[in-house]
Amino acid sequence: MYQGFYNLASGMLTQSRNLNVISNNMVNIQTPGYKRDKMVSTTFQEEMLYRTGRRYKDEPEPLATTSKIRSAERTYVNYEQGSYDQTEGILDFALMDKGFFCVDTPAGVRYTRNGSFHVDDQGYLALNGVGRVQGTDGGPIAIDTEKFSVDSRGVIRVPATSTSGEDGEVEVTEARELGTLRVVDFADYEQLHKEDYGMFSTGQAAQDVESPSILWQALENSNVDMVEEMTSMMTSQRALQSAAQVLRMYDQIMSKASTDVGRL
């Protein structure tokens, strides 16, 4: 009888945590470059069941293993690449292969697949609410004009221009580079720690990608499947509700056993 309390209560806690993970995925379905989380549950402290006689307890026969508690083992991140949207925004970038953009934050360098950048109040390329985007030289990238182009390797260039004055004199401006987006990758994604705003941190050394594949004026969508998340949410909610109802029945039975039956 008491084992049911362990089974049901641990099941409710596990399903509650799973619902939190699913809800977070659904909230971030529109976040560029967001990577889906998946919680994996496991059993806790398995025990062996034995069968013995009523009078003689010698030579018990093993039957099977059982566990009274189910718990969340860990949450995995699905790094599968998402689809792309052409936004036509000149500050939007999408990685078409493995790798991460580097962003300087007050807590140190963080890594992200979110390429929805903007220019901050000091004229540097930045990720809103997080920090400035790093260039290949390790410093920020200053954007002083909107008339630039970006190639597939992340090089931001201002083309040469020529203008004619009123006196007929032609003024030529030479082409120049504003900077190059730094893209890095890691040997072991299992060591990446997921943080807020789709950012990642890690203690391992970042490896610069020599020839990154960057799509300009586009964003990578999150890899969250809304249909799959809704199905998982309904399944988890029903499991949680069923466990709560049965647990209430257990409580009522135990209450009667300790009051009504006890008086007999």
Side-chain angles (χ1 to χ4, degrees), residues 12 14 25 70 73 75-76 81 93 97-98 121 126-127 132 142 158 165 170 178 180 208 228-229 236 258:
M12 290 176 62
T14 302
N25 287 336
R70 190 166 192 83
E73 180 180 16
T75 300
Y76 290 91
Q81 195 163 313
F93 306 88
D97 203 349
K98 290 184 177 181
D121 53 2
L127 183 61
R132 291 175 178 173
V158 178
V170 177
L178 299 180
T180 303
D208 288 293
E228 183 178 349
E229 296 301 320
S236 190
S258 61

Side-chain angles (χ1 to χ4, degrees), residues 193-218:
H193 174 67
K194 195 173 187 180
E195 300 183 357
D196 295 334
Y197 305 106
M199 309 300 294
F200 294 90
S201 63
T202 181
Q204 61 183 317
Q207 304 171 358
D208 288 293
V209 179
E210 295 183 359
S211 299
S213 182
I214 298 176
L215 185 61
W216 184 39
Q217 296 184 333

Side-chain angles (χ1 to χ4, degrees), residues 119-151:
V119 177
D120 64 16
D121 53 2
Q122 296 183 9
Y124 292 98
L125 192 65
L127 183 61
N128 189 28
V130 180
R132 291 175 178 173
V133 180
Q134 245 186 31
T136 52
D137 60 356
I141 300 174
I143 305 294
D144 56 10
T145 179
E146 294 183 351
K147 297 180 180 179
F148 61 81
S149 62
V150 184
D151 63 18

Side-chain angles (χ1 to χ4, degrees), residues 3-14 68 70 243 247:
Q3 180 174 339
F5 283 100
Y6 290 104
N7 292 335
L8 296 168
S10 63
M12 290 176 62
L13 293 173
T14 302
K68 297 181 175 65
R70 190 166 192 83
L247 190 62

Side-chain angles (χ1 to χ4, degrees), residues 227-245:
V227 175
E228 183 178 349
E229 296 301 320
M230 287 294 296
T231 303
S232 299
M233 174 172 282
M234 289 187 292
T235 302
S236 190
Q237 282 179 333
R238 289 173 180 172
L240 177 61
Q241 293 170 355
S242 299
Q245 292 174 355

Side-chain angles (χ1 to χ4, degrees), residues 156-226:
I156 306 174
R157 293 188 177 92
V158 178
T161 59
S162 60
T163 56
S164 299
E166 295 180 357
D167 55 357
E169 185 177 350
V170 177
E171 182 179 353
V172 178
T173 303
E174 294 183 357
R176 57 193 175 95
E177 289 187 6
L178 299 180
T180 303
L181 294 170
R182 185 188 180 197
V183 179
V184 300
D185 203 7
F186 301 95
D188 185 8
Y189 281 16
E190 291 296 321
Q191 296 185 36
L192 294 179
H193 174 67
K194 195 173 187 180
E195 300 183 357
D196 295 334
Y197 305 106
M199 309 300 294
F200 294 90
S201 63
T202 181
Q204 61 183 317
Q207 304 171 358
D208 288 293
V209 179
E210 295 183 359
S211 299
S213 182
I214 298 176
L215 185 61
W216 184 39
Q217 296 184 333
L219 290 174
E220 179 187 2
N221 294 320
S222 69
N223 61 357
V224 177
D225 186 337
M226 180 58 77

